[in-house]
Amino acid sequence: MSLLYLVRHGQADRLGKNYDQLTEHGWKQAKLLGEYFKNQRIEFDSVYTGSLNRQKQTAQGIIESFSKDQFCIPEPIENSAWDEFDSKMWLGLAAKIRHANADFAKLFESYKKAWEEGKEETRDYFQELIQIVLHDWVHGVWDPIEPYTFKEYVDKVSVGPKEIPLDVKSTLVVSSSTPIAIMMGLSCKMLPVEFPVFMKSITNSSLSIFKRENGHWEPVSWNGTPHLQNPDLVTLV
């Protein structure tokens, strides 16, 4: 049996000008997760991340918790199959929806203003916007869309778990919320249009576990944060 420990990256700088960067909060989440793995005697034969900086930094924080006590852990292998969707997709779709939906256009302007001013409301506005965008993307309302349709993106993500070698017993993957939701949907053999049910609630640095049985990944646990004992450390965006 092979186990896959699939982790969402820690909190990133949604309020700053570079979302692909962990906040101090995000670094703490990652290091606490590393401590949790170590204390639970969970070790890894292989480690993967997507190509995004926030994913790599989260893996770094986890690995540092092992390294400081001289535990062995493999160097991460980069695989873009585990990347979050390209921001060009959501911005392109948002532009189309703004022309057709006055309420969305108003919400987008509020988000843009809050982002420019670095306000906390940025996160709330983004959550509202992205759910609308994801709905239209998943249902192909505006297809074709660049750089990929939802189906094309699902196909891209599905390559990641297939490339984990059959002879490894324990793999750590640091990814993002949408690939994790897709992994959950695929493992439950759901229809792609049903995957968004998982996209709304994946918390920063959360842990989902899968086991490989007869060539198929099956869910063991979902979106856990056993390493975050302080509720103030649990974040969504």
Side-chain angles (χ1 to χ4, degrees), residues 72-153:
C72 291
I73 185 168
E75 284 295 312
I77 298 169
E78 182 181 313
N79 186 342
S80 63
W82 295 107
D83 283 356
E84 183 58 278
F85 56 75
D86 194 310
S87 61
K88 292 177 185 175
M89 182 283 295
W90 102 265
L91 290 171
L93 265 181
K96 293 176 183 291
I97 298 170
R98 288 206 311 271
H99 291 297
N101 185 326
D103 290 337
F104 183 92
K106 183 177 179 181
L107 183 63
F108 188 88
E109 289 305 311
S110 297
Y111 161 76
K112 185 178 177 182
K113 187 173 186 293
W115 180 80
E116 289 170 348
E117 296 174 357
K119 292 184 176 179
E120 283 289 335
E121 298 96 296
T122 301
R123 294 190 174 99
D124 296 330
Y125 288 135
F126 178 77
Q127 280 299 101
E128 288 187 64
L129 289 169
I130 200 63
Q131 295 307 319
I132 298 169
V133 168
L134 288 174
H135 173 275
D136 281 12
W137 186 39
V138 167
H139 287 83
V141 174
W142 304 94
D143 283 354
I145 189 75
E146 292 296 333
Y148 30 57
T149 65
F150 183 66
K151 181 184 182 303
E152 290 168 339
Y153 181 69

Side-chain angles (χ1 to χ4, degrees), residues 8-227:
R8 186 190 176 196
H9 62 76
Q11 186 190 63
D13 191 15
R14 173 65 63 194
L15 300 183
K17 301 303 180 185
N18 180 12
Y19 180 57
D20 202 20
Q21 175 74 32
L22 291 190
T23 62
E24 182 178 343
H25 208 83
W27 278 107
K28 187 169 186 179
Q29 291 168 334
K31 291 175 181 178
L32 285 171
L33 181 54
E35 291 291 337
Y36 169 80
F37 284 140
K38 189 176 62 177
N39 292 337
Q40 294 295 309
R41 300 178 184 174
I42 299 172
E43 299 184 64
F44 304 105
D45 303 310
S46 60
V47 179
Y48 293 85
T49 72
S51 66
L52 304 178
N53 193 48
R54 58 189 182 272
Q55 299 168 340
K56 295 178 183 179
Q57 287 179 335
T58 302
Q60 180 185 339
I62 293 170
I63 289 169
E64 284 176 359
S65 296
F66 281 84
S67 301
K68 71 180 182 181
D69 287 336
Q70 298 183 324
F71 277 73
C72 291
I73 185 168
E75 284 295 312
I77 298 169
E78 182 181 313
N79 186 342
S80 63
W82 295 107
D83 283 356
E84 183 58 278
F85 56 75
D86 194 310
S87 61
K88 292 177 185 175
M89 182 283 295
W90 102 265
L91 290 171
L93 265 181
K96 293 176 183 291
I97 298 170
R98 288 206 311 271
H99 291 297
N101 185 326
D103 290 337
F104 183 92
K106 183 177 179 181
L107 183 63
F108 188 88
E109 289 305 311
S110 297
Y111 161 76
K112 185 178 177 182
K113 187 173 186 293
W115 180 80
E116 289 170 348
E117 296 174 357
K119 292 184 176 179
E120 283 289 335
E121 298 96 296
T122 301
R123 294 190 174 99
D124 296 330
Y125 288 135
F126 178 77
Q127 280 299 101
E128 288 187 64
L129 289 169
I130 200 63
Q131 295 307 319
I132 298 169
V133 168
L134 288 174
H135 173 275
D136 281 12
W137 186 39
V138 167
H139 287 83
V141 174
W142 304 94
D143 283 354
I145 189 75
E146 292 296 333
Y148 30 57
T149 65
F150 183 66
K151 181 184 182 303
E152 290 168 339
Y153 181 69
V154 169
D155 290 343
K156 175 179 180 292
V157 171
S158 66
V159 171
K162 292 176 183 176
E163 293 184 345
I164 297 173
L166 295 173
D167 60 348
V168 299
K169 293 183 178 180
S170 182
T171 298
L172 169 66
V173 173
V174 181
S175 185
S176 296
S177 58
T178 312
I180 295 170
I182 289 172
M183 179 69 183
M184 191 65 179
L186 291 171
S187 70
C188 293
K189 300 183 179 180
M190 296 166 63
L191 295 174
V193 292
E194 298 174 303
F195 294 176
V197 70
F198 299 116
M199 295 178 186
K200 301 176 183 179
S201 58
I202 305 174
T203 52
N204 294 122
S205 78
S206 65
L207 172 63
S208 299
I209 304 174
F210 302 82
K211 66 177 179 179
R212 183 159 47 193
E213 292 283 355
N214 300 317
H216 176 71
W217 290 101
E218 300 177 356
V220 175
S221 65
W222 158 251
N223 199 33
T225 53
H227 56 297

